[in-house]
C-alpha cells in the first residue's frame, strides 16, 4: 500500500478531521480570494484590496459550518446559504463566501437522492442568484452574479454524479456478494445430495448382505452338529454374501476417490438385468420368492435401473428380516406406458411386520430414490396380512430427456 493510499485510509477513518481540514482549506481560499479586486481603476483589471471585517466574519462562519457537513448536511447548507445571502447583499466589493454554500450543496447532493438534490439545488441557486442580482450593489447582469448561478449548479451536479457512482459501485459489490453466496449454497447443496446418495447406497448394500449373512450364520449354527453338510452350504452362502458386500462397498467407496488416487473399480452399477442373481441370494437364504416380469425390450436409464434394483433389494431384505420364517414374496416388474412399475408383496405374519417400526432407514431411502426420479412410492400393510411395496418410476428422466432433445 502506497503513501497516498495509507493517507486516504487514515482520513476515511476520521471523517471529522477530514472535514476540519477541508473547512480550513476552504477558509484559506476564501480569504485569499477576498484580497483580489477584479474591478480596477482602468476597467476589468485585477488589483489588491483589503476585505471588510464583516466579510471575514461571514467567511469564518461559513467555513466552521463545513466541519459538520456530514452530520447535518441540510442544516449546514442552510447556514452557509444564509451567510452567502448576507454577503451578497451588504458587501461591496463582494467576497467569495458563496464557496462554502457550494461545498455544502455538493455534500447534500452526494448524500441524498436525486429529487432532493433537484429541490435543494434549484432553491439554493434561485435564492443566492436572486439575492445577488436584486439586492446586491452590482448590476443584475454582472459576471459575479452569473458566476454564483454557475458554481451552485456545478456543486449540485458534481455531488449527484458522485452519489450515482457510489450507488453503481455498491450495486456491483452486492451482486458479487450474492453470486458468491449462491455459489457457496449450490456447492453445499450438491455436497449434501451426494452425501445422501452415498448413504443410501451404503445402506442398501450393507443392509441386504448383512441380513443374508445373519440368516445363513444362524442356519449354520443351528444345524452344525446334526447336519454338517447343510451347515457347510450355509457358510458358503455367508462367504458369497460377504464377498458381494465387499465388492459393492469397494465400488461405492471408489466413487469418492480423487483424481490422483488409484483407479476405481469399473464394474457397472447393478440393475434389473441382475434381478435373477439378487433373487437367488434370497432363495438361498430360505426365502421363497416368485418373480413376474412384463418389461421385455425396455431399456431403462442408468438411474432408473439402479433405483428399481435397490427398491426390490430393500423390499426383499425387509421381508426376510420382518415377515417371519415362513413368509413368501412376490416380485413383479411391469412396463405401463411411460413408466416402469415395481411391486413387492409378501404374506408375512411377523409381529414386527411393518419395517418402519424398527427405526431403520430402508423405507426412507427407497422413497428418496424414487422421489429423486420424479416417481411415486407407496408402502403399507396388506389386507389379510403381509406388506406391500409399490414404486412407479418414469422411464424417461429429466436428464435423459434433455440429452435426447439436444
Amino acid at each position: 500500500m502506497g503513501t497516498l493510499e495509507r493517507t486516504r485510509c487514515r482520513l476515511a477513518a476520521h471523517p471529522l478531521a477530514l472535514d476540519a481540514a477541508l473547512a480550513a482549506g476552504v477558509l484559506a481560499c476564501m480569504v485569499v480570494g477576498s484580497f483580489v479586486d477584479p474591478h480596477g481603476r482602468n476597467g476589468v483589471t485585477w488589483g489588491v484590496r483589503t476585505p471588510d471585517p464583516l466579510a471575514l466574519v461571514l467567511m469564518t462562519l461559513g467555513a466552521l459550518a463545513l466541519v459538520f457537513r456530514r452530520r447535518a448536511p441540510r442544516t449546514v447548507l442552510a447556514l452557509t446559504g444564509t451567510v452567502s445571502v448576507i454577503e451578497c447583499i451588504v458587501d461591496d466589493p463582494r467576497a467569495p463566501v458563496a464557496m462554502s454554500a457550494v461545498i455544502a450543496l455538493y455534500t447534500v447532493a452526494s448524500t441524498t437522492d436525486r429529487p432532493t438534490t433537484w429541490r435543494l439545488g434549484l432553491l439554493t441557486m434561485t435564492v443566492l442568484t436572486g439575492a445577488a442580482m436584486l439586492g446586491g450593489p452590482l448590476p443584475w447582469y454582472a459576471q459575479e452574479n452569473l458566476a454564483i448561478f454557475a458554481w451552485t449548479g456545478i456543486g449540485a451536479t458534481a455531488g449527484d454524479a458522485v452519489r450515482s457512482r457510489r450507488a453503481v459501485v455498491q450495486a456491483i459489490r452486492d451482486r458479487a456478494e450474492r453470486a458468491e453466496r449462491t455459489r457457496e449454497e449450490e456447492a453445499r447443496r450438491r455436497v449434501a445430495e451426494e452425501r445422501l446418495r452415498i448413504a443410501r447406497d451404503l445402506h442398501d448394500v450393507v443392509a441386504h448382505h448383512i441380513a443374508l449373512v445373519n440368516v445363513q450364520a444362524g442356519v449354520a449354527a443351528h444345524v452344525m452338529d446334526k447336519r454338517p453338510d447343510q451347515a457347510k452350504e450355509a457358510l458358503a452362502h455367508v462367504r458369497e454374501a460377504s464377498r458381494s458386500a465387499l465388492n459393492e462397498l469397494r465400488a461405492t467407496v471408489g466413487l469418492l476417490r480423487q483424481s490422483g488416487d488409484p483407479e476405481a473399480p469399473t464394474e457397472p452399477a447393478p440393475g434389473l438385468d441382475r434381478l435373477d442373481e439378487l433373487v437367488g441370494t434370497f432363495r438361498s437364504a430360505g426365502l421363497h420368492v416368485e418373480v413376474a416380469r412384463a418389461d421385455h425390450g425396455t431399456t431403462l436409464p442408468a438411474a432408473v435401473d439402479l433405483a428399481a434394483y435397490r427398491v426390490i433389494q430393500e423390499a426383499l431384505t425387509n421381508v426376510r428380516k420382518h415377515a417371519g420364517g415362513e413368509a413368501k414374496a412376490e416380485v413383479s416388474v411391469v412396463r405401463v406406458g411411460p413408466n416402469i412399475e415395481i411391486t413387492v408383496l409378501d404374506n408375512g405374519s411377523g409381529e414386527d411386520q411393518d419395517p418402519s417400526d424398527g427405526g431403520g432407514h430402508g423405507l426412507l431411502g427407497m422413497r428418496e430414490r424414487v422421489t429423486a426420479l420424479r416417481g411415486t412410492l407407496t408402502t403399507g400393510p396388506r389386507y389379510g396380512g403381509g406388506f406391500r411395496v409399490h414404486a412407479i418410476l418414469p422411464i424417461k428422466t429429466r436428464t435423459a430427456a434433455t440429452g435426447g432433445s439436444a
Side-chain angles (χ1 to χ4, degrees):
M1 183 182 295
T3 303
L4 182 60
E5 186 68 17
R6 286 197 297 269
T7 303
R8 188 186 69 82
C9 292
R10 292 194 188 100
L11 292 176
H14 302 85
L16 186 62
L18 177 60
D19 291 339
L22 175 64
V26 172
L27 178 60
C29 292
M30 290 191 295
V31 171
V32 172
S34 64
F35 281 92
V36 178
D37 184 10
H39 301 283
R41 297 180 179 178
N42 300 321
V44 184
T45 58
W46 296 91
V48 179
R49 65 183 176 90
T50 301
D52 297 334
L54 178 60
L56 293 176
V57 172
L58 294 176
M59 286 185 289
T60 303
L61 292 176
L64 287 175
L66 292 179
V67 177
F68 307 98
R69 66 187 187 96
R70 296 177 192 262
R71 297 185 178 181
R74 301 189 187 187
T75 302
V76 171
L77 177 60
L79 292 175
T80 55
T82 300
V83 298
S84 299
V85 169
I86 296 174
E87 191 274 337
C88 290
I89 295 175
V90 304
D91 197 15
D92 184 27
R94 187 176 299 162
V97 180
M99 182 182 297
S100 60
V102 173
I103 300 299
L105 181 58
Y106 164 85
T107 304
V108 171
S110 63
T111 56
T112 59
D113 52 10
R114 182 162 293 173
T116 303
T117 300
W118 274 97
R119 290 194 301 269
L120 296 182
L122 291 175
L123 178 62
T124 303
M125 286 189 293
T126 301
V127 172
L128 293 184
T129 306
M133 289 182 175
L134 302 178
L138 298 177
W140 68 270
Y141 52 83
Q143 294 181 355
E144 289 84 347
N145 298 336
L146 298 178
I148 292 176
F149 180 84
W151 280 110
T152 51
I154 291 173
T157 303
D160 184 72
V162 170
R163 181 196 56 77
S164 299
R165 181 181 178 278
R166 289 174 183 170
V168 171
V169 172
Q170 186 62 38
I172 293 174
R173 290 177 179 174
D174 292 342
R175 285 198 297 269
E177 292 177 357
R178 285 196 298 269
E180 185 66 23
R181 287 196 299 268
T182 301
R183 285 193 295 269
E184 293 176 356
E185 292 172 359
E186 179 66 17
R188 287 194 295 268
R189 184 186 65 81
R190 291 184 178 181
V191 169
E193 290 180 352
E194 185 65 14
R195 184 184 298 115
L196 181 61
R197 186 190 66 80
I198 294 173
R200 285 198 302 261
D201 287 340
L202 290 176
H203 172 272
D204 291 341
V205 171
V206 173
H208 165 60
H209 292 289
I210 295 302
L212 295 181
V213 168
N214 180 62
V215 171
Q216 295 293 350
V219 172
H222 182 69
V223 301
M224 179 68 71
D225 296 331
K226 299 180 179 180
R227 301 186 59 183
D229 54 338
Q230 188 175 353
K232 184 177 181 180
E233 181 181 355
L235 291 176
H237 288 307
V238 169
R239 184 174 61 252
E240 183 64 26
S242 62
R243 183 184 298 113
S244 299
L246 289 175
N247 291 335
E248 293 200 33
L249 284 174
R250 189 179 298 112
T252 302
V253 174
L255 298 176
L256 305 178
R257 296 181 183 272
Q258 303 295 327
S259 58
D261 293 340
E263 183 178 358
T266 57
E267 181 180 357
L272 292 180
D273 56 340
R274 295 175 55 182
L275 180 58
D276 293 337
E277 177 184 346
L278 174 66
V279 172
T281 61
F282 283 98
R283 287 171 176 166
S284 64
L287 178 64
H288 182 75
V289 183
E290 296 181 359
V291 179
R293 301 189 63 173
D295 63 327
H296 301 291
T298 302
T299 302
L300 300 178
V304 177
D305 203 16
L306 175 61
Y309 179 89
R310 294 301 188 196
V311 167
I312 297 174
Q313 182 186 56
E314 179 62 30
L316 291 178
T317 301
N318 288 334
V319 173
R320 191 67 189 85
K321 291 169 59 177
H322 303 284
E326 302 299 327
K328 297 181 180 180
E330 300 177 3
V331 178
S332 66
V333 181
V334 181
R335 165 76 180 270
V336 180
N339 301 319
I340 190 81
E341 296 191 9
I342 309 296
T343 306
V344 179
L345 307 174
D346 69 80
N347 62 346
S349 58
E351 295 180 357
D352 57 346
Q353 174 65 14
D354 189 350
S356 62
D357 295 340
H361 301 281
L363 294 181
L364 178 62
M366 282 193 291
R367 192 174 306 279
E368 289 173 346
R369 284 184 181 276
V370 174
T371 304
L373 298 173
R374 292 183 175 270
T376 58
L377 177 73
T378 56
T379 60
R382 298 174 61 193
Y383 179 76
F387 202 78
R388 177 177 181 268
V389 176
H390 180 67
I392 301 177
L393 297 170
I395 295 178
K396 291 184 178 180
T397 62
R398 287 180 295 174
T399 303
T402 303
S405 61

